């Protein structure tokens, strides 16, 4: 099939109810119920004087994160839907799969031409993987895209008073780590053993989604756009509730954890790095904003610890962990998380030991 | 059919909420998101409206979302943030938030820096005039973050108050929160205020207007702005409580 030919849109073929995103249906249901119980209980406790302040703080942080992140996720879903309909599998196979090794290096820097934040990148990756983009390249884009982009470079520059060494280190470490992990994981994982069934490349032309039965065999542009919107709205439900749970947990932690809690454990540089990494995971900050938080630790923490916060945050946090369940198997998630945490830690120790930093 | 209806309902609820925030709920939106990102909310409402139309047009078509008995928790979860809007409307970041988001300085308060220390020549060409500084509420962030540039000038700022026991009795903290993207990344910025000997300390977290000449104080090697001989009057919470 040539890329410039219109691919016939699929005939509807109902699929069995999906296994929910890497978790079993029962486990997903139980986790959902548990979350709802906690969320409603906290809401009720907020009516009592003793809990009012905490619940108010959680509510502000929770709403702020959701109102900021959800539009990005919707934009990501929309882009993912357009990719699903307008990017032919044959084109992906022809261009990307012939250069599997090189694709990882290119994907790690794709954020420079396609700036995405960590909330938007997940639905995009889901669709790219469905199109057959190799696992390693997808991981490199997933990890590198939210760091190696112009917006993050600009916010980092502003936060650190245009100290370009900080910008270069942040983007350089982000790119290097994304590529290394992409290459390493692609040795053990492929799209066949790393992805949940809904995210795998489809050999038939049916997308398996609800709207397939209502498209013409050779549709025009409006029908294809309509089709893309159908995919995108499905993604909203596939990824959205993970985003809500992740931001709720992050808002709770943001409300109860004090800055002093972290700064009281700064006896050694490696400990400072670990603590700032922990903070990056639990605070779930936007990659545009985290440089300003990191910069507030200047003079208190080693530069390597500030850098660890800025590099890890866009790659991995609580809400991302939950959103990964919409794409990857549990085994792949475990490997990805271990690789990200381990590599960031080792790289930051190396930076601390080898690079003279004074920010 | 029911699953489709629920999906359409959730999208409609979110689209209406986002539209309401931008059109009528700006006081609430100002306490959540930086104004330069408000377009995102409008964009989100537009995309959700599109999704709603797509889902609503297919109410009777089959779906692959699985049985509703397994799916309903995920649908309710998507509505949880809307429920939390109720406590959010009356909640405020306050002195407890200030303290939890600050790093403590344990050392005792140091005396004012000497004339030599505070004699920083301001770059007048790059500075707003005194009138501008007084009128521009957003200048709080600039003054608090770069107090040296305003040394010796009379400033007027709107802020919340915190009486910190670690400070001398005649001083209180005048604080606000600075955001980059949203309230979750809010960081405290503050000035110290020296009230008149006879003046009573304002209650914690109350909004006040403070006017007086700015000088520099030093604690643990860090410099903070101090408004001396300040005139403190009660104030109202501004529409944009955050500084940028």
């Amino acid at each position: 099939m040539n890329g410039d030919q219109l691919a016939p849109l699929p005939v509807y073929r109902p699929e069995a109810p999906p296994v929910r995103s890497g978790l079993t249906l029962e486990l997903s249901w139980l986790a959902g119920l548990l979350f709802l119980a906690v969320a409603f209980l906290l809401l009720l406790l907020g009516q009592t004087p003793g809990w009012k302040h905490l619940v108010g703080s959680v509510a502000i942080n929770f709403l702020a994160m959701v109102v900021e992140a959800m539009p990005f996720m919707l934009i990501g879903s929309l882009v993912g839907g357009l990719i699903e309909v307008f990017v032919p599998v044959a084109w992906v196979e022809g261009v990307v799969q012939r250069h599997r090794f090189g694709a990882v290096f290119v994907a790690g820097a794709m954020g420079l031409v396609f700036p995405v934040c960590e909330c938007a990148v997940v639905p995009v990756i889901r669709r790219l993987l469905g199109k057959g983009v190799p696992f390693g390249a997808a991981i490199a884009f997933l990890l590198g895209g939210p760091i190696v982009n112009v917006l993050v470079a600009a916010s980092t520059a502003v936060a650190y008073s245009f100290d370009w060494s900080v910008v270069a280190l942040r983007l350089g470490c982000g790119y290097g780590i994304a590529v290394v992990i992409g290459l390493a994981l692609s040795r053990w994982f492929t799209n066949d053993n790393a992805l949940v069934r809904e995210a795998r490349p489809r050999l038939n032309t049916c997308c398996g989604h609800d709207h397939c039965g209502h498209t013409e065999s050779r549709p025009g542009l409006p029908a294809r756009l309509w089709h893309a919107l159908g995919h995108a709205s499905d993604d909203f439900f596939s990824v959205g509730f993970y985003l809500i749970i992740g931001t709720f947990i992050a808002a709770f932690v943001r409300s109860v954890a004090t800055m002093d809690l972290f700064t009281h454990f700064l006896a050694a540089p490696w400990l400072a790095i670990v603590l700032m990494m922990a903070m990056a995971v639990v605070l779930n900050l936007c990659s545009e904003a985290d440089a300003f938080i990191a910069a507030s630790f200047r003079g208190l923490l080693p530069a390597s610890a500030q850098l660890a916060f800025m590099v890890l945050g866009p790659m991995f946090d609580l809400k991302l962990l939950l959103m990964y369940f919409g794409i990857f198997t549990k085994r792949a998630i475990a490997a990805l998380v271990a690789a990200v945490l381990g590599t960031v830690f080792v790289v930051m120790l190396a930076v601390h030991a080898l690079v003279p930093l004074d920010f | 059919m029911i699953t489709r209806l629920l999906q359409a309902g959730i999208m409609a609820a979110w689209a209406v909420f986002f539209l309401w925030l931008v059109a009528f709920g700006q006081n609430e939106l100002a306490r959540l998101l930086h104004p330069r990102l408000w377009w995102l909310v409008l964009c989100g409402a537009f995309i959700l409206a599109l999704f709603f139309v797509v889902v609503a047009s297919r109410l009777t078509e089959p779906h692959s979302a699985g049985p509703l008995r397994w799916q309903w928790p995920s649908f309710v979860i998507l509505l949880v943030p809307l429920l939390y809007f109720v406590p959010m409307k009356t909640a405020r970041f306050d002195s407890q938030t200030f303290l939890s988001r600050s790093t403590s300085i344990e050392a005792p308060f140091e005396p004012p820096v000497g004339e030599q220390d505070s004699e920083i020549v301001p770059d007048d060409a790059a500075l707003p005039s005194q009138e501008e500084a007084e009128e521009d509420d957003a200048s709080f962030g600039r003054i608090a973050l770069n107090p040296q540039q305003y040394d010796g000038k009379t400033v007027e700022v709107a802020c919340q108050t915190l009486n910190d026991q670690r400070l001398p009795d005649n001083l209180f903290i005048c604080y606000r929160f600075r955001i980059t993207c949203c309230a979750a990344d809010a960081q405290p910025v503050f000035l110290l205020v020296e009230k008149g000997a006879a003046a009573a300390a304002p209650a914690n977290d109350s909004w006040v207007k403070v006017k007086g000449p700015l000088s520099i104080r030093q604690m643990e090697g860090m410099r903070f702005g101090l408004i001396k001989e300040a005139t403190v009057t009660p104030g109202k919470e501004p529409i944009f409580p955050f500084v940028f």
Side-chain angles (χ1 to χ4, degrees), chain A residues 48-61:
Chain A
T48 61
W51 288 77
K52 193 173 171 109
H53 181 271
L54 173 66
V55 174
S57 180
V58 170
I60 294 174
N61 288 316

Side-chain angles (χ1 to χ4, degrees), chain A residues 12 15-18 20 25-26 28-29 31-33 35-36 38-43 52-53 55-68 70-72 74-75 77-78 208-211 214-215 226-227 229-230 232-234 236-237 240-242 244-245 248 254-255 257-260 263-264 285-286 288-289 292-293 296-297 300, chain B residues 4 6-8 10-11 14 17-18 21 29 31-33 36-37 39-41 43-45 47-48 50-51 53-55 57-58 61-67 69-78 80-88 90-97 99-104 106 178 180-187 242:
Chain A
Y12 176 61
E15 294 192 346
R20 170 63 80 189
L25 205 58
E26 293 82 0
S28 174
W29 185 79
L33 279 189
F35 169 77
L36 284 174
V38 171
F40 282 111
L41 180 65
L42 201 61
L43 202 57
K52 193 173 171 109
H53 181 271
V55 174
S57 180
V58 170
I60 294 174
N61 288 316
F62 183 36
L63 260 297
M65 285 191 217
V66 169
V67 168
E68 187 195 10
M70 190 181 279
F72 279 121
L74 287 164
I75 293 168
S77 299
L78 204 55
H209 280 91
D210 311 349
H211 37 269
H214 301 273
T215 51
W226 194 253
H227 193 73
L229 283 173
S233 63
D234 286 346
F236 172 76
F237 287 99
F241 81 100
Y242 288 120
I244 302 294
I245 297 174
F248 184 86
R254 186 80 175 116
S255 303
T258 65
M259 297 290 264
D260 281 341
T263 54
H264 284 167
L285 294 172
C286 171
E288 246 187 274
F292 293 89
I293 304 294
S296 70
F297 284 94
L300 287 170
Chain B
R4 290 278 195 200
L6 288 172
Q7 288 181 335
I10 289 166
M11 283 170 173
W14 271 105
F17 177 62
F18 277 173
L21 274 179
L29 191 55
R31 291 192 288 111
L32 296 175
L33 204 59
R36 76 179 154 80
L37 294 177
W39 66 272
L40 264 179
V41 184
C43 184
I47 296 172
L48 283 161
L50 278 178
F51 289 179
V53 172
V54 171
V55 174
S57 69
R58 292 175 169 144
E61 293 174 15
H63 62 83
S64 59
R69 70 174 184 280
W70 294 113
Q71 294 300 317
W72 70 264
S74 65
F75 291 158
V76 182
I77 286 169
L78 282 166
V80 167
L82 302 183
L83 295 175
Y84 271 78
F85 184 67
V86 178
M88 179 261 146
T90 52
R92 297 289 184 274
F93 283 163
D94 57 14
S95 50
Q96 283 188 49
T97 319
L99 292 171
S100 73
R101 295 193 179 189
S102 311
T103 45
S104 303
E106 304 293 348
R178 180 177 182 237
T180 309
C181 292
C182 71
D185 65 55
Q187 287 179 278
F242 298 122

